[in-house]
Amino acid sequence: MPPKGTKLVAQNRKARHDFDILDVFECGIALQGSEVKSLRAAQVQMRDAYARVNDGEVWLHAVHIAPYSFATGVGAHDPDRKRKLLLHRREIGELLQRTQQDGLTLVPLSIYFKDGRAKVELAVA
């Protein structure tokens, strides 16, 4: 049972099967308005998703958030765009070090809402 105030949106079950999970980080995700609506409707696919550290920022790739059906024109979003993950500077430094030196990868395990904010559970695998 998830903790109070938490609503699970999507899980990457294949990642737990395919990878050996060493460490897990909770991070925020920068979204557009229509993406939040689609997340609340659980219209997410994260089967082949991964994350990368570029220029001191962590980016989430290959997560498909379906377009919100009522958003058109300017309010619509690109369903396959890369999304910025929000972490502390020291956490980003640790992820960069572990991915470069140890040859590990960053895999998102789940997307959920915690106290009304979208969060991503990111694993070092």
Side-chain angles (χ1 to χ4, degrees), residues 39-109:
L39 275 181
R40 290 197 187 279
Q43 297 178 343
V44 182
Q45 292 178 352
M46 52 189 298
R47 183 173 298 131
D48 297 324
Y50 62 96
R52 288 230 170 110
V53 180
N54 291 332
D55 298 325
E57 296 177 337
V58 182
W59 294 91
L60 184 63
H61 297 269
V63 172
H64 179 85
I65 299 177
Y68 186 58
S69 60
F70 298 109
T72 57
V74 179
H77 66 273
D78 179 21
D80 296 317
R81 73 179 184 92
K82 64 181 185 177
R83 293 162 181 90
K84 186 175 179 179
L85 296 179
L86 309 173
L87 291 155
H88 292 283
R89 174 98 26 224
R90 64 176 171 74
E91 292 174 328
I92 294 173
E94 181 182 342
L95 290 175
L96 179 64
Q97 177 187 7
R98 292 181 80 178
T99 55
Q100 286 181 345
Q101 292 179 356
D102 300 338
L104 301 173
T105 60
L106 301 175
V107 180
L109 298 177

Side-chain angles (χ1 to χ4, degrees), residues 4-74:
K4 188 171 185 172
T6 303
K7 178 191 173 201
L8 184 64
V9 176
Q11 269 188 321
N12 190 354
R13 292 188 186 118
K14 186 177 177 185
R16 289 197 186 270
H17 181 266
D18 292 345
F19 295 101
D20 189 21
I21 307 300
L22 302 176
D23 202 4
V24 177
F25 292 86
E26 178 185 67
C27 46
I29 183 169
L31 298 171
Q32 296 177 350
S34 62
E35 290 176 324
V36 176
K37 293 282 197 175
S38 292
L39 275 181
R40 290 197 187 279
Q43 297 178 343
V44 182
Q45 292 178 352
M46 52 189 298
R47 183 173 298 131
D48 297 324
Y50 62 96
R52 288 230 170 110
V53 180
N54 291 332
D55 298 325
E57 296 177 337
V58 182
W59 294 91
L60 184 63
H61 297 269
V63 172
H64 179 85
I65 299 177
Y68 186 58
S69 60
F70 298 109
T72 57
V74 179

